[in-house]
Amino acid sequence: NAGVMQNPRHLVRRRGQEARLRCSPMKGHSHVYWYRQLPEEGLKFMVYLQKENIIDESGMPKERFSAEFPKEGPSILRIQQVVRGDSAAYFCASSQGLAEITGELFFGEGSRLTVL
Amino acid sequence: KQEVTQIPAALSVPEGENLVLNCSFTDSAIYNLQWFRQDPGKGLTSLLLIQSSQREQTSGRLNASLDKSSGRSTLYIAASQPGDSATYLCAVSNAGKSTFGDGTTLTVKP
């Protein structure tokens, strides 16, 4: 399967726990994007990463949220001390290059976080 | 700040009808526009990508147009089928960040 792989597909956490969401981009893609979809709302940009670099994190909440894309391994979106308002579907997308070169985004199936 | 609006929010049509979904955006300085389909509880499936220098793209029964100067795109679906029922999202991209509309939820009745 050469698609964008996200895991876990479903994650349940209690308030105050940590959530880690993983994303492996499509083969050959070096650009990763994270989006959040709150219930009954549209997709909102969170962060754009290349290998070992955060390019744009303008959509990330200032506290508790962090993202990385290490040289080896998947991209990780980490949410510390989760609260009920973090319950959402988190989608990862990848692309081959910058928007002006190729730009087509390919999405994973998403990770659905439920905070009890 | 880029804003993307999709009209209508919901649409219900009988099978076989041709239909048009609309997308408008406020900042014409985009690199590309992409249409997606999202089924309930699923991820997004890319339908068509239009680069900023292009005017339209076609794939099967789908045709998407782009008028960058007026900030508009349309997705035309010919001979709709029940399997086309889904939410359709448009997204405009600038320097790596894509801004999404809230989508049009389409129901095609048999």
Side-chain angles (χ1 to χ4, degrees), chain A residues 104-107, chain B residues 34-37 44-49:
Chain A
E104 187 169 10
L105 292 178
F106 294 88
F107 278 80
Chain B
Q34 196 168 353
W35 282 93
F36 295 88
R37 166 187 175 139
L44 280 70
T45 300
S46 177
L47 297 174
L48 289 165
L49 171 73

Side-chain angles (χ1 to χ4, degrees), chain B residues 29-63:
Chain B
I30 65 170
Y31 289 134
N32 63 49
L33 183 145
Q34 196 168 353
W35 282 93
F36 295 88
R37 166 187 175 139
Q38 185 177 28
D39 293 283
K42 300 290 188 181
L44 280 70
T45 300
S46 177
L47 297 174
L48 289 165
L49 171 73
I50 310 177
Q51 300 289 356
S52 61
S53 59
Q54 298 174 322
R55 295 300 298 266
E56 67 176 335
Q57 284 286 342
T58 298
S59 176
R61 295 183 293 109
L62 305 179
N63 176 278

Side-chain angles (χ1 to χ4, degrees), chain A residues 17-101:
Chain A
Q17 292 184 319
E18 179 180 286
R20 283 190 181 224
L21 311 178
R22 290 175 290 277
C23 169
S24 296
M26 282 183 70
K27 188 175 181 180
H29 287 191
S30 58
H31 301 251
V32 165
Y33 314 80
W34 285 93
Y35 288 82
R36 177 165 66 173
Q37 188 172 40
L38 292 166
E40 306 305 321
E41 293 189 17
L43 273 85
K44 304 298 182 189
F45 170 80
M46 299 182 75
V47 63
Y48 162 35
L49 310 104
Q50 295 177 26
K51 286 284 187 181
E52 300 184 279
N53 286 302
I54 296 174
I55 306 303
D56 183 346
E57 57 181 348
S58 58
M60 288 279 272
K62 294 289 185 279
E63 298 178 345
R64 303 187 297 107
F65 285 72
S66 62
E68 64 176 3
F69 189 15
K71 186 177 180 181
E72 302 289 338
S75 175
I76 306 286
L77 180 67
R78 181 185 181 202
I79 312 171
Q80 295 178 288
Q81 300 175 335
V82 297
V83 301
R84 289 215 173 106
D86 297 332
S87 296
Y90 293 83
F91 289 96
C92 171
S94 71
S95 71
Q96 192 172 25
L98 272 176
E100 69 269 25
I101 299 174

Side-chain angles (χ1 to χ4, degrees), chain B residues 95-109:
Chain B
K97 178 193 299 187
S98 288
T99 302
F100 282 79
D102 287 341
T104 294
T105 299
L106 172 66
T107 302
V108 181
K109 297 172 289 186

